Amino acid sequence: MMENRFNKKPLFSLDRADIFPILFWCLIVFLTWLFMHGADHFLILTRAALGKYFELRWFLIAHITAGGGALVMGFIQFWPKLRKYSWKLHRVIGLLYLMAILVSSLCAMVLAFSTAYEVNWAYAFSLQVWVGVWISSTAIAFYAALQRKFQLHQEWMVRSYLVTLAFILSGLAIKLPFIQRLGSFDEISPSLFWVGWSVPLYIYQVILSSRTRK
């Protein structure tokens, strides 16, 4: 009895090192709420509110809802203390993140190959490539975990999450006045979408390369 008592897992506790991860996660939650709040009018579910998305309204709602879930859950995966405290919890959150991305990305692909063309070809093509990178990077991360290549899994999870973050960053950036002055939505959105995920991935690859040299 005494031995079992001493072998109990210690309680989860926070210290100063956890302040930054918690604050950053709170920022992500706030940005996600801000982004999703901008889509509240779609919940009216009328043709006037949804416009070109009316026929595919459930794909749009599922894409936004599941995408928001992926944004909130994804960052928790990178919290070392939580990962070390409970690998089971880490796996559960990871599976929920994968399921959220699966739903959101498949719905996004449907929209990218249908309603996106009503904007223009460049807009549709940028979304198609973006979603393709999102699906493939997440799939590689999952496959690496199944192969127990955890370092590779972590690197591809970072790539997957950077692409996930690009959705809210690009979506919020395009609403900024100085961005809107650059041109119409049709003109600037494709370039902004490309920059939103490709530049963060490039910077992350540079960071990885610098670590390898050391």
Side-chain angles (χ1 to χ4, degrees), residues 54-143:
F54 181 74
E55 299 299 333
L56 297 172
R57 54 192 177 277
W58 298 117
F59 286 95
L60 177 66
I61 299 300
H63 164 62
I64 295 173
T65 304
L71 284 162
V72 171
M73 289 185 292
F75 183 75
I76 302 176
Q77 292 292 89
F78 305 111
W79 193 0
K81 176 172 286 188
L82 185 63
R83 188 167 62 243
K84 292 177 182 177
Y85 175 75
S86 175
W87 277 99
K88 290 183 179 179
L89 181 59
H90 174 75
R91 291 190 184 103
V92 169
I93 297 174
L95 287 173
L96 290 174
Y97 172 78
L98 290 172
M99 290 172 62
I101 289 210
L102 179 64
V103 172
S104 186
S105 62
L106 291 178
C107 291
M109 190 64 77
V110 171
L111 297 172
F113 278 93
S114 55
T115 56
Y117 282 106
E118 295 188 28
V119 178
N120 57 44
W121 180 88
Y123 175 83
F125 181 68
S126 64
L127 288 178
Q128 291 159 13
V129 175
W130 189 358
V131 176
V133 172
W134 196 25
I135 294 173
S136 59
S137 60
T138 307
I140 294 171
F142 179 61
Y143 181 74

Side-chain angles (χ1 to χ4, degrees), residues 33-45 49 61 64:
W33 172 83
L34 196 64
F35 178 74
M36 296 183 70
H37 183 62
D40 282 350
H41 62 284
F42 290 135
L43 297 178
I44 301 174
L45 297 179
I61 299 300
I64 295 173

